[in-house]
Amino acid sequence: SSLVTGNLNLNITITGYLYIIILAFLSLAGMIGFKKGLELINTVTAAILSTFEPVTSLIVGVLLLEEILLVHQIIGSLLIIFAVVFVALIEKKEKTMVKSEVDGKVK
């Protein structure tokens, strides 16, 4: 929207650039950590754990940024968690069924 209104400001201080670089490295570290974690646990567990991101964001927002927690934010986070856990459990059940079918044919 700032391009449309002509209010795009590219005058960033050295401190601003430093914060951008720090944020980039922290994001990279997070992605590398997540990938390494996937090697240690299965994808279903990783999917379930990653659903807690909205809850973590809400908690950090309320505690550190003094945001006001609204009912629709709580409901939305709960729905996201429920949906991902539900899908992950269905996938786990399907993998178990496929494995038992394959084991039955091998014997």
Side-chain angles (χ1 to χ4, degrees):
S1 70
S2 60
L3 284 174
V4 174
T5 60
N7 293 328
L8 182 61
N9 184 359
L10 297 177
N11 297 329
I12 301 173
T13 64
I14 298 296
T15 306
Y17 281 113
L18 181 65
Y19 287 145
I20 291 170
I21 291 169
I22 291 171
L23 181 61
F25 279 114
L26 289 175
S27 297
L28 180 63
M31 289 188 299
I32 291 171
F34 186 75
K35 184 182 179 307
K36 292 294 181 186
L38 279 177
E39 295 172 3
L40 299 174
I41 62 176
N42 62 26
T43 56
V44 173
T45 305
I48 291 172
L49 289 175
S50 67
T51 61
F52 289 103
E53 187 273 329
V55 176
T56 306
S57 297
L58 287 177
I59 292 170
V60 169
V62 169
L63 295 178
L64 297 181
L65 304 176
E66 299 176 1
E67 293 180 351
I68 298 172
L69 186 60
L70 302 174
V71 175
H72 70 275
Q73 292 170 322
I74 297 170
I75 293 171
S77 294
L78 291 174
L79 287 174
I80 290 170
I81 291 170
F82 174 74
V84 174
V85 169
F86 184 70
V87 168
L89 292 175
I90 289 174
E91 287 180 7
K92 185 175 182 179
K93 182 178 178 183
E94 288 176 356
K95 286 181 182 179
T96 305
M97 290 174 52
V98 168
K99 183 179 181 204
S100 65
E101 289 175 5
V102 170
D103 290 342
K105 291 180 182 178
V106 171
K107 292 181 182 180

